[in-house]
Amino acid sequence: MVNSTPGVPHPRRRHMRRRVLGAALALGLASLLAACSGQAIPGAESVGPGTPVDGGTLRVGFVGGGAADTLDGAIATNLGDTARAVNMYNALLYRDDDFALKPMLATSVDPNTDATVWTAHLRTDVKFSDGTPMTSRDVVASIERIVDPDDPKNGAAGLGHLTEVVAIDDFTVEFRLSQPDSALDDSLGQYTMTIVPEDFDPTAPVGTGPFRLQSFTPGQSTVLERNPFYWGDDVPFLDAIELLNFNDTDALINALLSSQVDAVAQIPAALAEVIDSDARMQILNSETGMWLPFTMRTDVAPFDDERVRQAFRLVVDREQMVEQVLSGYGTIGNDMFASFDPAYPNFPQRTQNIEEAKRLLAEAGYPDGLIVELATAPIQAGTVEAAQVFAEQAAEAGITVKINRMDLTTYWGDYLEYPFSQSFWYTRNFLPQANSGAMPDSPFNETHWTDAEFVDLVVQARGETDEAARSELIEAAQATMYERGGLIIWGFANQLDAYQSYVGGLEPNATGIPLSGFQLQRVWIGEVS
Amino acid sequence: MILRLIARRLAISVAILIVVSMVIFFITLLLPGDPAQAILGQQATPERIAAVHEQMNLNEPAWKRYLLWLGGLFVGDFGISAATSQPVAALIGERVGASLFLMIAAAIISIPVGILVGIWSALRRGRTTDTAITGIALVLAALPEFVVGIALVALFATTVFPILPAVTMQPPGTQVWDFPTQLILPVLVLVLVVTPYIVRMMRATMLEVLDSGYVEMARLKGVPERRVIMRHALPHAIGPVAQVIAIQLAWMAGGVVVVEFLFRYPGLGQALIEAVNYRDVMVVVAITMIVAAIYVVVNLLADIVGILANPKLHTRGGN
């Protein structure tokens, strides 16, 4: 369940680049200032990446992937697929480090008054990695490829209401919808909404991203080289990126410690402190909106009783969860999703209350407690640990949690069927999140939640283009989930990555995609000390 | 006589392989979870699952798929991988080479070293060096390969002396042997795990032979010690040791899975783990068959060495 954000000009970065271009003057001036003030120049110490330099190959390691790895960014599934998607392709919009939606291949994407028609104005200077210019025909073909009913891609789930994509002129595209959607731009900004040429062939992939394919061995490694036709102001510093698949964390960390890789994506929270204490390494700690909920099916016993769901939410010690499961690298949750949405409401924080939980359970007909089975699997770092901590906390209220731990394949086989299980979601705003996982017709409605009031509010919000009015509707919808929903959202996990100190340009990124949202065009390899 | 014995061993081997193939094929089918679901993960939609099922012949009954696959084997067709839609043979071809390279490198080092150290230890029976060698061999033999592997990585790659690579990494299109330093640790782990058994077996059989009547007789006759060992003792000791070496080599075909996992070595073991995760039955069966075939062939060779080295069989089947 992945989310948006590829790479485009970064204001701070563009600024920095200009500074570098005027290198002699800038450096001279900086050292003069430093001499005057007696202060060190930030980033110019002997240890560390220093100022951006051109060239080199960045070796990036990550766990995951295999023979089914893909070069088609529109069907990206694992971390390697994501890294390839973000660096080889672009979407019309993207999420920046602060999770704000920013223009990328489009200069603007705007709705009409009732949000049934959206118009995208494209940049006129974009070229594909084979040198051909991008036009609206390519955009139309790309979207049609994604929603192709015979072979739908990842993004199709968010575009079920799209009736037509029309090229108005060479650089204008219209999206016509069968029902209002005030958040279509969010769907179009997912990184899997890749814009590719009309005659796209995934075996010889051509995109508009900062890098293009040099070589690819599924499950082993991918080499991407700088795209000479890249349209962005933030041309990559690196000559190439090597993406390396690992099958377990130990080998990954060993590769980092023996300097065989320059950066690794997604490390277990428990290892962060150890790696950070090594002077050669840095930890990239990004606060994100990623959550690992417990999902209670609201249509089967015992969770079809609102009081049982409330009781389960009240047994959770959220601070302890964040401390033990995430080693403190996270923030506590309040049973509502989309913490980065501007409309995320500030309701009273729910805290552990065993007495109240017991009372609710007794009222629901379980005075002597109850036994439930919790389906879990290592679907994301921390899920199995969370299951164990939850089982301990729930025991205090007389709830016996039997943990049914499965391997990944077995787990996904019956995903959506378990009465009580776990899931994970990356950072999303409220409407896209509700569309994907909380509405009766959502493809991933894990809690089988069909609350009439909630549905009504979400439908209204979808058609509301006025931001303030929409925020009010979202807050009301969140209130229904906070009161009677089926999700236990105990916290939001930080994204933790590790890299060698000589790597520069990695910034915390809220999307939940590792290593600055994999925007590796911003990265450089500094002096190796 | 000898030929008939060998032919019988050969026939048994083929029968074993067929049984193994059936067992593996049907056990893999028993794994919970669906291959299409495994490949598509959380992104699976009913349409995409249906398409993958169609591609993989998953709608056919299991026995029919088994027979189709067995028939294919005889014409060198290992079937189609579910995860990649590519022929299995192409997928694992390069990996077979990489794994065999690792095993052969380990065997070339550990067999002579094991035999020599074993003999040397036997000849120095009861002295400090013998006791030390026996002790070290005992400890090493007791350690699982991943413990040895992790210890070596900590010692030579990450923590104590960071001088060797911790994992295998090679750019696409190159071979593992293009980067010899990356091979040192994986080969060393296999050597350290295999050699102690050879040493202990060689020492034990050597001692037995040295204590036997004919060695004593040869010594009494005044045959030089060097000649006693080379001509009289060693040939008699080699038969039982060949059996142990065979078991060790066969073990390596399986133990290499752990070593490959630990060192990110792009061999059969890694492919097997991945294929099990994807429920990619064709690849699992193909790799298991290769490992089983290595077992069978190595044991067959050991049997043949045993038969040839057995003096009783020689005299009885003289012509």
Side-chain angles (χ1 to χ4, degrees), chain A residues 85-322:
Chain A
V86 172
N87 285 289
M88 289 166 59
Y89 307 96
N90 296 132
L92 295 178
L93 304 153
Y94 84 111
R95 292 278 175 189
D96 72 1
D97 288 335
D98 303 321
F99 204 66
L101 198 57
K102 292 283 172 67
M104 190 140 76
L105 295 181
T107 51
S108 69
V109 183
D110 298 311
N112 62 353
T113 44
D114 63 351
T116 50
V117 177
W118 284 72
T119 309
H121 295 279
L122 307 179
R123 291 182 69 110
T124 54
D125 57 349
V126 178
K127 283 182 178 167
F128 287 108
S129 57
D130 61 356
T132 55
M134 179 198 76
T135 70
S136 53
R137 283 190 310 280
D138 299 305
V139 174
V140 170
S142 301
I143 303 295
E144 283 172 350
R145 190 179 88 91
I146 287 166
V147 299
D148 178 5
D150 295 327
D151 184 14
K153 311 295 187 292
N154 296 0
L159 294 181
H161 53 337
L162 182 71
T163 48
E164 224 183 346
V165 205
V166 184
I168 301 298
D169 60 41
D170 275 359
F171 298 104
T172 312
V173 178
E174 234 175 60
F175 297 84
R176 299 176 185 161
L177 310 177
S178 59
Q179 49 175 287
D181 181 359
S182 59
L184 184 81
D185 51 349
D186 189 289
S187 301
L188 296 175
Q190 306 280 323
Y191 71 83
T192 58
M193 298 296 286
T194 52
I195 301 303
V196 293
E198 267 182 297
D199 57 351
F200 180 68
D201 172 11
T203 58
V206 168
T208 60
F211 293 90
R212 64 179 184 184
L213 187 69
Q214 192 176 60
S215 61
F216 173 55
T217 314
Q220 291 285 318
S221 59
T222 311
V223 181
L224 303 179
E225 59 180 8
R226 191 193 312 215
N227 170 9
F229 299 103
Y230 184 52
W231 55 275
D233 295 337
D234 55 344
V235 265
F237 299 117
L238 298 164
D239 293 332
I241 311 168
E242 196 176 347
L243 304 169
L244 296 146
N245 302 64
F246 285 76
N247 24 29
D248 82 324
T249 312
D250 290 338
L252 181 72
I253 301 297
N254 285 339
L256 180 75
L257 293 177
S258 66
S259 301
Q260 283 180 280
V261 292
D262 305 307
V264 298
Q266 242 174 41
I267 57 162
L271 285 178
E273 225 160 290
V274 182
I275 295 174
D276 206 20
S277 65
D278 190 322
R280 301 170 300 156
M281 319 281 165
Q282 303 282 327
I283 294 291
L284 182 66
N285 179 8
S286 306
E287 204 172 291
T288 78
M290 195 200 41
W291 43 296
L292 308 165
F294 293 95
T295 60
M296 305 179 280
R297 263 181 70 173
T298 55
D299 61 339
V300 294
F303 302 111
D304 53 353
D305 190 322
E306 199 181 306
R307 292 166 296 194
V308 175
R309 302 201 292 272
Q310 284 288 9
F312 271 61
R313 287 165 155 192
L314 286 171
V315 302
V316 186
D317 181 339
R318 290 149 206 263
E319 260 146 37
Q320 192 185 27
M321 274 284 188
V322 170

Side-chain angles (χ1 to χ4, degrees), chain A residues 368-379:
Chain A
D368 307 316
L370 74 168
I371 302 173
V372 290
E373 185 180 285
L374 173 57
T376 187
I379 50 176

Side-chain angles (χ1 to χ4, degrees), chain A residues 225-507:
Chain A
E225 59 180 8
R226 191 193 312 215
N227 170 9
F229 299 103
Y230 184 52
W231 55 275
D233 295 337
D234 55 344
V235 265
F237 299 117
L238 298 164
D239 293 332
I241 311 168
E242 196 176 347
L243 304 169
L244 296 146
N245 302 64
F246 285 76
N247 24 29
D248 82 324
T249 312
D250 290 338
L252 181 72
I253 301 297
N254 285 339
L256 180 75
L257 293 177
S258 66
S259 301
Q260 283 180 280
V261 292
D262 305 307
V264 298
Q266 242 174 41
I267 57 162
L271 285 178
E273 225 160 290
V274 182
I275 295 174
D276 206 20
S277 65
D278 190 322
R280 301 170 300 156
M281 319 281 165
Q282 303 282 327
I283 294 291
L284 182 66
N285 179 8
S286 306
E287 204 172 291
T288 78
M290 195 200 41
W291 43 296
L292 308 165
F294 293 95
T295 60
M296 305 179 280
R297 263 181 70 173
T298 55
D299 61 339
V300 294
F303 302 111
D304 53 353
D305 190 322
E306 199 181 306
R307 292 166 296 194
V308 175
R309 302 201 292 272
Q310 284 288 9
F312 271 61
R313 287 165 155 192
L314 286 171
V315 302
V316 186
D317 181 339
R318 290 149 206 263
E319 260 146 37
Q320 192 185 27
M321 274 284 188
V322 170
E323 207 46 56
Q324 296 200 355
V325 176
L326 307 175
S327 301
Y329 293 99
T331 44
I332 57 171
N334 205 12
D335 301 325
M336 291 177 290
F337 51 56
S339 60
F340 274 76
D341 193 297
Y344 184 73
N346 191 16
F347 296 150
Q349 177 62 49
R350 189 165 277 145
T351 52
Q352 189 184 44
N353 188 339
I354 300 292
E355 283 317 304
E356 177 67 7
K358 277 182 171 166
R359 194 188 65 76
L360 284 165
L361 284 178
E363 222 179 273
Y366 304 100
D368 307 316
L370 74 168
I371 302 173
V372 290
E373 185 180 285
L374 173 57
T376 187
I379 50 176
Q380 181 77 8
T383 43
V384 176
E385 293 82 350
Q388 285 157 352
V389 175
F390 178 80
E392 270 172 43
Q393 294 176 350
E396 294 175 45
I399 301 167
T400 309
V401 178
K402 288 201 283 189
I403 296 176
N404 177 12
R405 198 205 144 140
M406 299 172 226
D407 77 316
L408 281 178
T409 302
T410 316
Y411 186 84
W412 292 129
D414 276 329
Y415 166 64
L416 298 181
E417 300 305 318
Y418 309 112
F420 187 38
S421 69
Q422 286 172 286
S423 184
F424 76 95
W425 294 84
Y426 288 157
T427 320
R428 279 163 184 249
N429 276 353
F430 179 82
L431 279 179
Q433 181 65 59
N435 293 342
S436 302
M439 293 290 277
D441 56 353
S442 298
F444 308 107
N445 185 6
E446 291 145 347
T447 61
H448 298 233
W449 164 247
T450 51
D451 186 276
E453 194 186 347
F454 179 81
V455 172
D456 186 50
L457 287 163
V458 171
V459 170
Q460 282 187 53
R462 277 178 189 164
E464 183 55 71
T465 48
D466 177 67
E467 210 173 315
R470 191 169 64 219
S471 290
E472 266 174 45
L473 291 166
I474 289 176
E475 183 161 336
Q478 289 271 33
T480 65
M481 285 217 314
Y482 175 75
E483 279 158 24
R484 52 181 186 268
L487 293 164
I488 303 174
I489 303 173
W490 51 268
F492 296 91
N494 290 9
Q495 170 67 44
L496 296 168
D497 310 303
Y499 59 97
Q500 310 277 359
S501 301
Y502 52 76
V503 175
L506 291 168
E507 306 270 346

Side-chain angles (χ1 to χ4, degrees), chain B residues 99-124:
Chain B
S99 283
L100 280 179
F101 182 84
L102 196 60
M103 288 164 60
I104 290 170
I108 287 175
I109 298 171
S110 52
I111 293 174
V113 168
I115 289 177
L116 287 177
V117 174
I119 294 175
W120 192 60
S121 185
L123 293 178
R124 303 181 64 88

Side-chain angles (χ1 to χ4, degrees), chain B residues 14 16-22 24-25 64-80 88-89 92 281-290 292-293:
Chain B
V14 173
I16 289 175
L17 280 180
I18 290 181
V19 173
V20 166
S21 75
M22 283 167 70
I24 296 300
F25 194 94
K64 201 169 166 189
R65 280 154 54 203
Y66 174 73
L67 289 182
L68 276 175
W69 169 79
L70 197 65
L73 268 197
F74 288 104
V75 291
D77 176 9
F78 278 89
I80 302 287
V88 173
I92 58 178
V281 180
M282 289 299 163
V283 177
V284 173
V285 179
I287 294 175
T288 325
M289 288 303 288
I290 291 170

